[in-house]
Amino acid sequence: MVYLLSVGLLVPSLIGLAFVLPLIGIFVRNVKFFHAYASLASLYALATAAYNFHIVLSEGVKAYPFGGWWPPIGISYEIDEVNALIALLTTSVMFLITLYSAWYIKDLKSAPYYYTLLLGLEVGMLGCIYTGDAFNLFVMLEVMSISAYALVGFHRSKPEAVEAAIKYGLFGAVATTLYFIGLVFVYGSFGTLNMADLVNKVTFGISSASGTYYGQIHAATAVALALSLWAFTFKSAVFPNHFWLPDAHPEAPTPVSAALSGLVVNVGVYAIFRFLYTIFSPYSIVSELRDVMLLALLILGLASGFVGAFMMAVQDDIKRLLAYSTVSHIGLVLVGLSIGISIAAHPNTPAYVNGLSGALYHLINHSLGKSLLFLASGVVIFMAGNTRRLDEIGGVARRNPLLGFTIIVGVLQLLGVPPFGGFFSKYLLYSSYVEAGMPYVSVMINAISAISILGYVRLLYAALFKTPRTREVPKVNLTPLTVLLALAILCIATGVLSGSITEWLRWIVGRTASEQGIFNYWFYGYYLFWGR
Amino acid sequence: MNMGVINLDPSMAALTLSGVLALTAALMYLIYIALSRRAPTSSVEYGEAYIGGESRTVIKSLDISVRNLFWGIIWGAGRRLYLILRDRIHNGMMNDWSVYMITYIGFLSLIALVYFLALRWVAWT
Amino acid sequence: MSEVDTFMFNVFIFSMILNTAISLYGIFARPTLIKKIIALTIFSDTANVLAIAVGYRAWPTVERSPIPPVLTTSEPTASDLTSFLQTAVDPLPQALVLTAIVIGLAVTLFLVFLTLQVYRLYRTTDVRKISRLRG
């Protein structure tokens, strides 16, 4: 079988399921229906993503050309191991978030629109992750972003929410348009937008079914990479482009905060990975340019780690504190991604593999821990009587031991305390930079972790260790607590199984970010269709 | 083979160590519970801490406020940093942020330009 | 290309760069949200025109203009295909621009409604006053 139907099926069918919801909302007047519908839809997404993941692990890279148009001509989706893993992570956390939403969204009036946007967000993320076409990445980024803007401004009578949405939306539109201009340069010089075909031309340097080069390819690639990196670092909130995040993430409804902070930022990181490790890889004709860009990303990643950690220590708002923690952690993930600089590590050296697998591992740990903490903060805010100020929360989590337990698990996961995954991923990042001969970066990773302790202790103290002001807190029903428990178990699992997970991630990195991986991406995405 | 040394890879060592620590903590907690059972937990006479004749609302809470947590460290060590970071950079104004964003894209474009010029230079020489 | 063509082409490129600069200035530095959004539409239109220009094809000969990328015969011969390849315009940039225009419309509409809501809540569209979230 050359291509896999379930790769192409997931995104279009989920789009259909999402955007039919407002129509259903006219006829169905029962809020329970929408909860069940959205949960089933995201369960379907989870099942399909898990199936794709299984197929990719057992059979290798898979592609799906839409409409029967073969890759350089039509849009094609292509998944390798990294794709499939991040999609599985996204859908599983999204499924838990949708379940949690049933507790959070209670009124009938907003339920259809909320779920339309939430599923739209999931579709956008999955499209960005699965796509093998650079222009389709732009379209899916816009689908994801519009859903995200609308979800940030969902409480539209709250001035802060609307303010955050307009700040996010305006600059987000600029970012995606800049990416579009970058694509224009790519198309103008390479004559194709398909990623596998770009690999064909940039790395193997052979002309393909879409013709050959035009004009100054090095200059065009430089401009295109600069513009698209700006857009991706905007989406993943890296230091100079992180300003929207601490406003937008806290003002969104709590489940959406978890999705934005835990998953949406991953998309930018994934896009950077795809651009700098598959398309413009170390083997490509622009490897020197890639080095400089990665060095810039390393500096920015460290800077955003420090800024996030410092700003966490002075926050008074529980969700804003968590949002700054996202800035810090994405900075750490980018530090791991930047290991591919040729002065640091050549491909397939231990440092290279450790750094990339550490970045992936940290991405997973951060997604699980951050969504857990955001969802738990939603319950805390509800129990404290709808206040987000750390002072007024006053230890309500003590009244519910399960909630307290999950908060401790989440904080320890993000802080990087040994039995949890956060420690092992930070350790991998640390050791990779030591092996690469840049120990000062490792020291900075440690310093970022140490500074962020101040912020996490603030959170723990406010939610757990302060004496509660009142004895009576509203009762929380079982749905959110089950979701929290599931996420907490996942967090513990990432730590306890760290040995095998690390080995497995190394295997994945060896299969995707190596010469063989790039060859596979090209072979299954392009050559199988045209080469014969 | 040196049999006297336990060979552990770092992640296993960390797991083992944290497991031992957790076990120790659990043990100490059990001992604490066992000891605290023997002592009288409370008596009727000492119900409320009542000092002097003040009303009970003088001390609102025994805990310090979260806002003041680490305020000494933060304000003592990093006042200048926070004045810049919190009050000047993160001041919530769109137009002030855009200066940093424009600087960043200018920086990336500069990299692109320098790369292009360097290539030209190499081709020319 | 003749001198006139080269001159016109350079004018076009220069005006595109100028447009980008002006619209970015408008988005990043103007204080009013409405003006920011107007600058954003100028910016995305500039990007679209740039994309169209990538599909530009010079006239094959002085008398023959480039044709739309549509084969008009149902059973083309080899000479039909050859002349088609020599004169047809690249259709892909146009498809890209159509998509980008539709997306840009959606984003602009959303931002306009959001601005209306901002005006209702803050009674101003000046971003220097819309800064309740900080720190």
Side-chain angles (χ1 to χ4, degrees):
Chain A
M1 194 164 59
V2 179
Y3 49 82
L4 187 67
L5 181 64
S6 62
V7 176
L9 190 69
L10 176 54
V11 170
S13 57
L14 206 58
I15 287 178
L17 285 176
F19 291 103
V20 82
L21 258 176
L23 197 65
I24 298 177
I26 299 173
F27 303 110
V28 181
R29 311 302 303 169
N30 186 358
V31 73
K32 284 218 175 74
F33 169 80
F34 294 106
H35 297 327
Y37 182 93
S39 303
L40 283 179
S42 55
L43 182 64
Y44 156 72
L46 171 59
T48 318
Y51 174 72
N52 288 342
F53 182 63
H54 168 71
I55 291 288
V56 166
L57 277 201
S58 53
E59 293 179 20
V61 183
K62 287 285 171 193
Y64 179 82
F66 276 98
W69 294 97
W70 284 1
I73 295 175
I75 292 166
S76 71
Y77 276 15
E78 182 167 8
I79 52 173
D80 59 4
E81 285 83 357
V82 171
N83 264 356
L85 177 65
I86 295 179
L88 181 65
L89 174 74
T90 304
T91 46
S92 46
V93 175
M94 245 353 230
F95 173 62
L96 292 173
I97 286 171
T98 323
L99 286 184
Y100 181 94
S101 300
W103 171 75
Y104 189 85
I105 298 288
K106 294 173 189 86
D107 59 325
L108 178 64
K109 224 176 103 191
S110 56
Y113 296 103
Y114 173 80
Y115 282 125
T116 308
L117 291 170
L118 196 68
L119 289 176
L121 186 73
E122 184 170 9
V123 166
M125 283 190 284
L126 283 176
C128 287
I129 291 165
Y130 273 173
T131 191
D133 187 281
F135 186 74
N136 194 249
L137 178 60
F138 163 73
V139 174
M140 284 301 168
L141 266 183
E142 287 282 20
V143 170
M144 183 187 88
S145 307
I146 292 183
S147 312
Y149 308 151
L151 280 170
V152 168
F154 193 73
H155 297 306
R156 62 168 194 266
S157 47
K158 254 175 71 187
E160 287 89 358
V162 176
E163 180 191 333
I166 193 101
K167 281 175 175 172
Y168 183 16
L170 201 63
F171 286 136
V174 177
T176 43
T177 311
L178 278 175
Y179 176 56
F180 180 67
I181 294 181
L183 286 184
V184 170
F185 278 96
V186 169
Y187 185 73
S189 56
F190 292 106
T192 181
L193 288 171
N194 184 279
M195 289 182 187
D197 198 18
L198 279 175
V199 170
N200 192 10
K201 287 183 176 174
V202 180
T203 305
F204 301 125
I206 36 182
S207 59
S208 69
S210 56
T212 177
Y213 309 121
Y214 308 93
Q216 296 273 353
I217 47 167
H218 288 89
T221 311
V223 176
L225 258 186
L227 295 177
S228 43
L229 277 188
W230 196 84
F232 296 151
T233 45
F234 181 88
K235 288 294 163 205
S236 54
V238 182
F239 163 57
N241 283 356
H242 74 285
F243 294 104
W244 57 275
L245 188 141
D247 294 347
H249 287 191
E251 295 305 329
T254 305
V256 178
S257 310
L260 289 175
S261 233
L263 302 172
V264 170
V265 287
N266 292 356
V267 169
V269 174
Y270 165 72
I272 291 173
F273 173 82
R274 187 52 83 210
F275 265 63
L276 289 182
Y277 282 91
T278 304
I279 300 176
F280 303 108
S281 63
Y283 307 101
S284 65
I285 50 174
V286 289
S287 57
E288 300 90 1
L289 173 69
R290 178 181 167 278
D291 270 356
V292 184
M293 293 289 178
L294 276 178
L295 189 62
L297 281 184
L298 172 64
I299 294 166
L300 292 177
L302 285 173
S304 79
F306 275 113
V307 167
F310 273 121
M311 291 303 288
M312 269 170 75
V314 290
Q315 296 307 312
D316 293 329
D317 179 327
I318 181 167
K319 284 171 86 175
R320 211 173 164 80
L321 191 152
L322 291 173
Y324 272 113
S325 145
T326 302
V327 175
S328 172
H329 280 279
I330 288 299
L332 284 182
V333 172
L334 265 193
V335 169
L337 265 192
S338 320
I339 191 75
I341 317 173
S342 55
I343 53 166
H346 290 291
N348 295 330
T349 53
Y352 182 85
V353 176
N354 274 352
L356 282 183
S357 52
L360 260 181
Y361 198 6
H362 201 68
L363 196 77
I364 296 168
N365 289 332
H366 169 251
S367 285
L368 295 173
K370 188 51 61 63
S371 37
L372 168 63
L373 275 187
F374 258 119
L375 296 180
S377 80
V379 180
V380 166
I381 290 163
F382 170 72
M383 282 168 73
N386 247 337
T387 177
R388 295 196 331 224
R389 309 218 63 82
L390 284 171
D391 265 339
E392 294 164 15
I393 283 169
V396 285
R398 264 199 204 184
R399 296 271 171 255
N400 193 332
L402 187 58
L403 177 63
F405 167 72
T406 54
I407 288 179
I408 290 178
V409 168
V411 167
L412 294 186
Q413 167 90 340
L414 290 184
L415 196 52
V417 172
F420 294 94
F423 169 78
F424 295 104
S425 53
K426 277 180 186 167
Y427 172 75
L428 268 181
L429 296 178
Y430 177 90
S431 63
S432 75
Y433 272 96
V434 170
E435 283 161 20
M438 297 166 86
Y440 39 91
V441 178
S442 310
V443 172
M444 282 190 218
I445 292 173
N446 275 7
I448 290 168
S449 304
I451 295 163
S452 64
I453 290 177
L454 293 178
Y456 290 120
V457 167
R458 253 170 120 80
L459 171 67
L460 268 188
Y461 176 69
L464 218 57
F465 295 128
K466 270 184 97 168
T467 355
R469 204 173 278 174
T470 52
R471 282 210 169 273
E472 289 78 33
V473 288
K475 264 197 97 55
V476 185
N477 64 12
L478 218 55
T479 322
L481 292 179
T482 321
V483 169
L484 290 181
L485 193 64
L487 276 170
I489 289 170
L490 282 176
C491 283
I492 294 171
T494 53
V496 173
L497 301 175
S498 70
S500 43
I501 290 179
T502 310
E503 275 313 304
W504 184 64
L505 285 174
R506 280 191 187 126
W507 177 77
I508 284 184
V509 167
R511 277 179 70 101
T512 48
S514 59
E515 201 166 8
Q516 183 63 35
I518 296 159
F519 176 81
N520 280 346
Y521 197 85
W522 166 76
F523 184 80
Y524 290 101
Y526 172 81
Y527 184 79
L528 263 193
F529 293 93
W530 285 97
R532 286 171 295 183
Chain B
M1 286 294 283
N2 188 354
M3 297 301 283
V5 179
I6 308 169
N7 273 313
L8 280 176
D9 68 305
S11 58
M12 262 327 279
L15 265 185
T16 321
L17 205 64
S18 51
V20 169
L21 282 178
L23 215 66
T24 320
L27 210 68
M28 283 170 75
Y29 184 65
L30 281 180
I31 293 172
Y32 169 75
I33 287 178
L35 288 180
S36 63
R37 278 283 156 74
R38 295 211 188 116
T41 46
S42 70
S43 64
V44 189
E45 287 86 0
Y46 298 107
E48 308 274 335
Y50 192 69
I51 313 154
E54 81 272 32
S55 72
R56 279 174 54 207
T57 50
V58 168
I59 299 170
K60 215 159 66 180
S61 164
L62 283 175
D63 311 301
I64 55 165
S65 114
V66 179
R67 189 187 283 259
N68 297 338
L69 204 61
F70 313 126
W71 199 241
I73 305 173
I74 289 168
W75 212 235
R79 175 191 309 210
R80 187 166 297 135
L81 177 76
Y82 278 102
L83 280 181
I84 293 172
L85 207 58
R86 192 180 64 169
D87 300 338
R88 201 175 302 160
I89 295 183
H90 293 88
N91 63 356
M93 267 183 230
M94 250 192 211
N95 285 5
D96 290 357
W97 304 347
S98 52
V99 175
Y100 303 103
M101 291 179 160
I102 282 280
T103 314
Y104 174 31
I105 194 169
F107 172 63
L108 284 179
S109 312
L110 195 71
I111 291 178
L113 188 70
V114 167
Y115 176 71
F116 176 62
L117 290 180
L119 277 182
R120 274 301 173 85
W121 178 254
V122 168
W124 187 62
T125 49
Chain C
M1 270 200 273
S2 66
E3 282 81 22
V4 181
D5 282 355
T6 317
F7 174 71
M8 291 305 284
F9 196 73
N10 285 339
V11 166
F12 166 76
I13 294 291
F14 178 71
S15 63
M16 282 300 108
I17 292 172
L18 198 67
N19 241 356
T20 312
I22 290 173
S23 56
L24 277 180
Y25 166 76
I27 294 167
F28 284 126
R30 298 298 298 175
T32 317
L33 278 176
I34 293 293
K35 285 189 179 166
K36 276 181 192 290
I37 291 172
I38 291 172
L40 181 69
T41 54
I42 295 174
F43 182 49
S44 56
D45 286 346
T46 311
N48 292 339
V49 174
L50 209 63
I52 288 286
V54 164
Y56 168 79
R57 176 155 217 174
W59 285 34
T61 58
V62 183
E63 303 87 45
R64 273 172 85 196
S65 69
I67 57 162
V70 180
L71 260 180
T72 44
T73 52
S74 57
E75 283 171 12
T77 60
S79 64
D80 280 346
L81 283 178
T82 315
S83 72
F84 179 76
L85 282 179
Q86 278 164 357
T87 51
V89 172
D90 185 358
L92 195 78
Q94 302 172 14
L96 302 187
V97 165
L98 272 179
T99 318
I101 286 174
V102 173
I103 291 172
L105 173 77
V107 173
T108 311
L109 259 181
F110 178 75
L111 288 178
V112 167
F113 274 100
L114 215 54
T115 308
L116 184 63
Q117 195 67 17
V118 166
Y119 182 71
R120 280 184 188 141
L121 293 169
Y122 285 82
R123 309 310 297 174
T124 178
T125 55
D126 188 337
V127 292
R128 287 166 299 192
K129 298 195 180 87
I130 308 168
S131 59
R132 210 175 277 191
L133 295 166
R134 56 172 67 206

